[in-house]
């Protein structure tokens, strides 16, 4: 894998995307995975899905290596809005697409920079449009040079353009960036 692309042959590449599905309804999980498989075949991309049953589950050991997160708003333990707020503190680049039966939450989603909303029951055409939009924006920011750094027990993406300098202290690297150390 090189720069988010899986090298297949000498001149052939397949775009690869890591997708988290945070959804407590098993039926909706299955539909999303089925639609992701269909999208993968139709668009000649490689999607690596991972399913989480609740917001707590994805936040438990969040790693900033997801490209897209499909996030249900109403879940048993931690709702999607609170989950999205905590994810945004760790990862400003991941594309969040809310999946909900409650259209009134769409406005709140702008507070966490949600890319899109899909109303339940999910239709393939809705998912396809959302994924097309998400992948288009992902391709843009993947062109920007970024590095993945370990910050305590989490991982964060940092744009190389935001780095002022790197300091070595006791064999640890400290990145001094526009947003802090």
């Amino acid at each position: 894998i090189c720069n988010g692309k899986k090298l297949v042959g000498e001149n052939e590449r397949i775009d690869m995307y890591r997708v988290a599905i945070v959804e407590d309804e098993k039926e909706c999980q299955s539909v999303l995975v089925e639609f992701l498989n269909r999208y993968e075949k139709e668009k000649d991309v490689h999607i690596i899905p991972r399913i989480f049953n609740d917001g707590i589950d994805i936040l438990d050991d969040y790693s900033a290596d997801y490209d897209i997160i499909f996030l249900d708003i109403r879940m048993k333990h931690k709702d999607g809005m609170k989950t999205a707020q905590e994810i945004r503190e760790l990862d400003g680049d991941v594309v969040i697409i809310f999946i909900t039966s409650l259209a009134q939450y769409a406005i709140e989603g702008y507070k966490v920079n949600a890319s899109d909303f899909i109303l339940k029951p999910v239709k393939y055409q809705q998912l396809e449009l959302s994924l097309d939009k998400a992948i288009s924006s992902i391709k843009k920011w993947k062109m920007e040079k970024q590095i993945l750094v370990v910050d305590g027990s989490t991982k964060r993406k940092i744009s190389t353009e935001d780095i002022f300098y790197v300091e070595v202290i006791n064999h640890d690297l400290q990145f001094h960036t526009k947003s802090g150390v």
Side-chain angles (χ1 to χ4, degrees):
I1 297 174
C2 179
N3 276 347
K5 306 282 185 182
K6 181 179 175 186
L7 300 177
V8 177
E10 198 169 299
N11 294 319
E12 184 183 357
R13 293 190 309 203
I14 295 178
D15 292 336
M16 181 179 71
Y17 303 95
R18 297 184 192 293
V19 176
I21 298 170
V22 187
E23 169 64 61
D24 56 349
E25 297 174 25
K26 298 289 184 198
E27 185 178 323
C28 190
Q29 289 174 358
S30 297
V31 167
L32 287 170
V33 169
E34 176 187 328
F35 287 169
L36 288 174
N37 288 336
R38 178 176 167 186
Y39 185 89
E40 185 177 46
K41 289 179 181 98
E42 289 179 4
K43 303 291 181 163
D44 196 28
V45 297
H46 183 61
I47 296 175
I48 302 170
R50 182 164 178 206
I51 296 174
F52 298 91
N53 293 310
D54 196 89
I56 289 174
D57 298 334
I58 191 168
L59 289 170
D60 188 36
D61 189 21
Y62 186 79
S63 179
D65 56 0
Y66 295 106
D67 297 304
I68 301 168
I69 299 175
F70 287 100
L71 187 56
D72 186 12
I73 291 180
R74 291 181 71 182
M75 291 180 284
K76 187 176 182 180
H77 299 290
K78 185 171 224 96
D79 73 58
M81 283 298 166
K82 288 180 182 154
T83 301
Q85 289 168 351
E86 290 184 41
I87 286 171
R88 277 291 174 240
E89 291 173 13
L90 302 169
D91 189 352
D93 293 324
V94 68
V95 174
I96 296 175
I97 299 171
F98 283 111
I99 298 182
T100 183
S101 54
L102 306 167
Q104 66 265 29
Y105 283 108
I107 293 171
E108 265 195 67
Y110 291 108
K111 294 177 185 174
V112 293
N113 197 23
S115 171
D116 217 341
F117 289 82
I118 297 176
L119 289 175
K120 291 181 181 180
V122 177
K123 304 282 185 245
Y124 179 74
Q125 291 74 18
Q126 291 175 306
L127 181 122
E128 180 182 31
L129 289 173
S130 290
L131 276 175
D132 285 346
K133 179 179 163 184
I135 287 173
S136 175
S137 77
I138 290 167
K139 284 180 178 181
K140 287 177 188 170
W141 64 255
K142 277 192 175 182
M143 298 302 252
E144 178 185 327
K145 294 180 182 169
Q146 294 183 338
I147 57 173
L148 189 64
V149 297
V150 176
D151 183 10
S153 62
T154 63
K155 295 178 185 174
R156 294 180 187 263
K157 294 175 192 160
I158 299 176
S159 170
T160 56
E161 292 181 10
D162 290 344
I163 299 172
F164 295 127
Y165 64 94
V166 180
E167 185 176 19
V168 180
I169 300 175
N170 296 327
H171 302 289
D172 289 328
L173 298 175
Q174 289 194 352
F175 293 83
H176 295 261
T177 69
K178 290 179 183 176
S179 61
V181 180

